[in-house]
Amino acid sequence: MEDRLQQFRAAYQAKISPLYNGWLHGAWIFGFGAVFIAWCASRIENDGWAWLSVIPALLVANLGEWWLHKNALHRRIDALRALWHRHTVEHHNYFTEARMTVDSQREYRIILFPPYAVLGIALIHALFGGLWALVFGADAGWAWMVGGMAHYLLYEVLHTAAHLPEHPLLARLPLVNTLRRNHWVHHHQALMADVNLNLTPPFADWLMGTSDLDRSLPGVLFNGYRMDRLKPAVARRLGEARFPPLAN
């Protein structure tokens, strides 16, 4: 298993352009996202209540992330085959339960969404925000767009954190520690299509029954590294595995 993993990683890294820079990749995503959020926020003129629209935007984005992960990233659909290949074939073979971490910034290429994705996210939430504005007013529509883009940036932060080497700070940060353990469980080949499909707060996992934990919503959100509340079916598949694994 380790030899196959090393071979896959070496082959993938060899295909990365020598011009690629993970820091610039991240700077583009977060730079564009921050400008988009600031511009949308600046368009809100009068209605302070409009900011409440950030909440449904975050919830819908959380559910949408869950749906896309389950139904497109782990299911081969012809129209979305490229997404499935990048995620299931590449990402899940590059990172397994035996080795979840990166060694250099060049490996951000296999974690972050492609640079053009942030433009698509902006367009999607502009459409949703426009529809929301028809019902609740323009200010509410702009606030929706703020929440939608904020969700995407949070996704990238937490997904990257899930693949960083073990560090005491990451182990102590609420939610970050939860998502690191959740994502490690998700990267078990036998579980990847069924459990822990959220990379932002696992609300949809809890709601849709795909959390690996038998806990209430607060327990699911702030579980940290605990492995003593697994659902029986998940516990049987994991056996004696514990997080963080020694290989990380």
Side-chain angles (χ1 to χ4, degrees):
M1 174 68 77
E2 184 64 24
D3 288 344
R4 187 187 68 81
L5 177 61
Q6 293 286 33
Q7 290 170 6
F8 186 90
R9 284 187 162 219
Y12 185 91
Q13 291 174 21
K15 295 187 295 184
I16 299 175
S17 167
L19 299 178
Y20 177 80
N21 184 292
W23 298 117
L24 291 179
H25 187 172
W28 157 250
I29 290 173
F30 288 96
F32 179 91
V35 170
F36 182 86
I37 288 173
W39 182 71
C40 292
S42 73
R43 305 290 293 177
I44 299 175
E45 297 178 349
N46 301 310
D47 190 359
W49 288 100
W51 283 104
L52 292 176
S53 294
V54 168
I55 298 173
L58 291 171
L59 291 175
V60 168
N62 186 273
L63 290 164
E65 167 209 340
W66 179 93
W67 185 93
L68 183 69
H69 197 168
K70 182 173 181 61
N71 295 291
L73 300 187
H74 284 295
R75 179 184 295 176
R76 185 163 49 187
I77 301 172
D78 287 343
L80 300 173
R81 184 183 178 91
L83 291 177
W84 169 83
H85 187 273
R86 176 182 173 86
H87 187 76
T88 296
V89 176
E90 296 183 340
H91 183 76
H92 273 270
N93 279 293
Y94 197 95
F95 298 111
T96 72
E97 70 273 17
R99 188 173 179 188
M100 283 286 289
T101 59
V102 296
D103 296 319
S104 76
Q105 52 83 17
R106 286 180 55 78
E107 293 171 275
Y108 294 167
R109 169 70 176 74
I110 192 69
I111 298 175
L112 300 172
F113 270 75
Y116 58 79
V118 68
L119 303 177
I121 297 294
L123 178 59
I124 289 169
H125 285 293
L127 293 173
F128 272 94
L131 293 173
W132 193 255
L134 292 177
V135 180
F136 298 104
D139 284 350
W142 292 116
W144 179 289
M145 287 185 265
V146 168
M149 182 57 74
H151 170 272
Y152 171 63
L153 298 185
L154 179 63
Y155 175 97
E156 294 288 24
V157 167
L158 292 175
H159 191 197
T160 302
H163 290 292
L164 294 178
E166 186 61 28
H167 188 278
L169 178 61
L170 296 172
R172 288 195 295 265
L173 281 175
L175 192 60
V176 172
N177 52 17
T178 294
L179 267 298
R180 279 173 61 81
R181 188 210 66 90
N182 284 11
H183 203 50
W184 170 74
V185 172
H186 171 73
H187 268 265
H188 284 69
Q189 296 289 315
L191 295 170
M192 65 180 181
D194 301 319
V195 302
N196 296 352
L197 297 161
N198 275 132
L199 259 299
T200 55
F203 169 74
D205 274 324
W206 170 80
L207 182 68
M208 306 304 289
T210 52
S211 171
D212 68 321
L213 299 170
D214 186 15
R215 304 196 68 181
S216 64
L217 179 59
V220 167
L221 293 175
F222 300 107
N223 180 75
Y225 283 3
R226 288 182 61 177
M227 294 287 289
D228 60 337
R229 296 294 297 274
L230 296 173
K231 292 176 178 176
V234 176
R236 285 194 295 271
R237 292 189 186 185
L238 291 179
E240 297 300 319
R242 289 295 179 265
F243 185 83
L246 295 178
N248 279 353

